[in-house]
Amino acid sequence: ALLKTDGERVLAAGPRFTFDYDDAFRARLRALLGGEAPPDRVRAVEAELTDRHAEAVRRLLRLAKLTTDDLELVGFHGQTILHAPHQRLTWQIGDGRRLAAALGLPVVNDFRGADVAAGGQGAPLVPVFHRALAADLPKPLAVLNIGGVANVTFIGEGETLVACDTGPGNALLDDWILRLSGQRADLDGRVSAAGRAREDLVEQLLAHPFFAQPLPKSLDRDAFDVGLLEGLGLEEGAATLVAFTAGAVARVVPLLPARPREWLVTGGGRLNPTIMQALAKRLGVPVRPVEAVGWDGDALEAQAFAFLAARSIKGLPLSYPATTGVPAPMPGGRLSKPQRHP
């Protein structure tokens, strides 16, 4: 995604582009989750991931009829393969130096490392971007990102900013669908809509200690054991996992500084009508996709790391005590400059 920003304001959003990983590369990435793969395999996949991102930038520039001369900076998040902040560990693969060399542009990556090393959760990092986008919207407002894990940004009056992971997003549902049907996801919510949630199992899942922890907090996509769903059919299990995602979001409301007047939803979860209906039922206030206020939900994550890259090179905080639990406002990111040859 292309973004014009000074790291404090969003000045303009440019074109964005999305492309899919092929199944073989997706499988190679998935095999790294947990951070226990052999180092040579990690390095090989990291190099391939980086090269694919370089090509993504080139394709985006062609789409926008621009060249690298029109860009000043690239923000590169990479792929998280391990997130264990309680052990002061977080691992995003993606080689900033390799990408800088491939594009001939400065690249900022490793956005989470400094926060986690200082004792923060390292996530979520997008709240400061959400706040910039929502500058003119009524408050208090909640922005819910439903990716693999779901996270919320609470934006109150003034500069009030609170954030945390809420619990599962799409990851458990995607894994369930893949294992039982071979499909990648619950497209259009069709599978979960055909089932009935087992509320007794939802309550057991919501008994996980994570939900009793104070804010801020974060977790890994594999933090929850869904073994108690064994024996359920495809549709019933999917409906139960959707109810778990929505129930986990509802559990965070009493922990926020005020009750949000509205929830804006981004991430892939906003495209699942079953999830959106479950959220509206549990939250009892308007729940809308971010497109309702003119944001592009398919571009927000990419835009956010462009914004954070701009903040990084200016030394501005990426995270705060109330967003990640870090002891003090924390700059972050690692800058790689392309090698200049005479």
Side-chain angles (χ1 to χ4, degrees):
L2 290 168
L3 193 75
K4 185 175 183 180
T5 179
D6 60 2
E8 298 180 70
R9 298 165 297 162
V10 177
L11 303 174
R16 52 91 171 167
F17 182 74
T18 301
F19 69 100
D20 290 329
Y21 292 143
D22 58 79
D23 289 341
F25 181 63
R26 184 185 290 265
R28 289 195 291 279
L29 263 184
R30 182 178 284 271
L32 302 187
L33 298 181
E36 297 180 354
D40 58 340
R41 187 181 305 165
V42 174
R43 285 193 295 269
V45 175
E46 180 175 51
E48 184 176 1
L49 176 91
T50 304
D51 293 346
R52 285 171 179 262
H53 279 74
E55 180 58 24
V57 172
R58 297 186 191 105
R59 291 171 70 178
L60 174 59
L61 291 174
R62 289 196 294 270
L63 180 74
K65 296 181 171 55
L66 299 172
T67 72
T68 53
D69 291 338
D70 296 300
L71 297 186
E72 294 183 51
L73 186 65
V74 176
F76 177 34
H77 176 268
Q79 174 69 46
T80 299
I81 62 171
L82 176 67
H83 187 65
H86 57 287
Q87 300 175 35
R88 298 205 174 186
L89 291 174
T90 189
W91 189 359
Q92 288 75 43
I93 61 168
D95 188 334
R97 293 177 63 183
R98 185 183 182 100
L99 187 61
L103 295 174
L105 287 166
V107 170
V108 176
N109 73 321
D110 188 20
F111 288 93
R112 303 183 191 276
D115 184 279
V116 170
Q121 294 287 314
L125 290 185
V126 293
V128 67
F129 176 60
H130 289 156
R131 183 174 64 187
L133 280 178
D136 297 326
L137 295 179
K139 316 291 189 310
L141 173 70
V143 182
L144 178 67
N145 174 48
I146 307 180
V149 169
N151 54 69
V152 65
T153 300
F154 172 89
I155 307 164
E157 301 294 342
E159 293 292 300
T160 303
L161 192 65
V162 173
C164 70
D165 285 349
T166 63
N170 300 311
L172 300 181
L173 178 61
D174 289 350
D175 290 351
W176 178 265
I177 297 290
L178 180 65
R179 186 158 64 87
L180 269 69
S181 74
Q183 301 299 309
R184 286 186 187 173
D186 181 18
L187 296 177
D188 298 321
R190 290 190 294 265
V191 176
S192 53
R196 176 175 294 182
R198 283 280 303 274
E199 293 294 340
D200 58 324
L201 299 182
V202 173
E203 288 305 312
Q204 290 184 52
L205 289 166
L206 290 171
H208 190 283
F210 172 79
F211 299 108
Q213 294 173 12
L215 306 187
K217 53 187 175 179
S218 73
L219 74 162
D220 188 75
R221 76 189 296 285
D222 295 323
F224 299 102
D225 178 11
V226 295
L228 54 84
L229 270 62
E230 291 299 327
L232 298 187
L234 173 64
E235 293 86 357
E236 188 178 30
T240 300
L241 289 171
V242 165
F244 180 30
T245 291
V249 173
R251 284 291 178 95
V252 84
V253 174
L255 306 178
L256 299 175
R259 184 179 177 85
R261 58 193 297 167
E262 180 175 27
W263 290 70
L264 297 176
V265 186
T266 187
R270 81 191 192 288
L271 304 177
N272 186 320
T274 316
I275 289 178
M276 294 295 281
Q277 291 163 12
L279 287 169
K281 180 179 178 181
R282 298 225 180 209
L283 296 172
V285 296
V287 175
R288 299 192 291 167
V290 292
E291 283 76 9
V293 294
W295 303 355
D296 184 346
D298 289 334
L300 281 190
E301 287 286 303
Q303 291 170 348
F305 285 95
F307 182 80
L308 292 175
R311 290 183 71 82
S312 176
I313 64 169
K314 295 176 77 170
L316 296 171
L318 309 188
S319 55
Y320 298 86
T323 62
T324 68
V326 73
M330 180 61 58
R334 181 182 302 167
L335 176 65
S336 296
K337 296 182 179 180
Q339 295 297 317
R340 301 295 183 186
H341 298 289

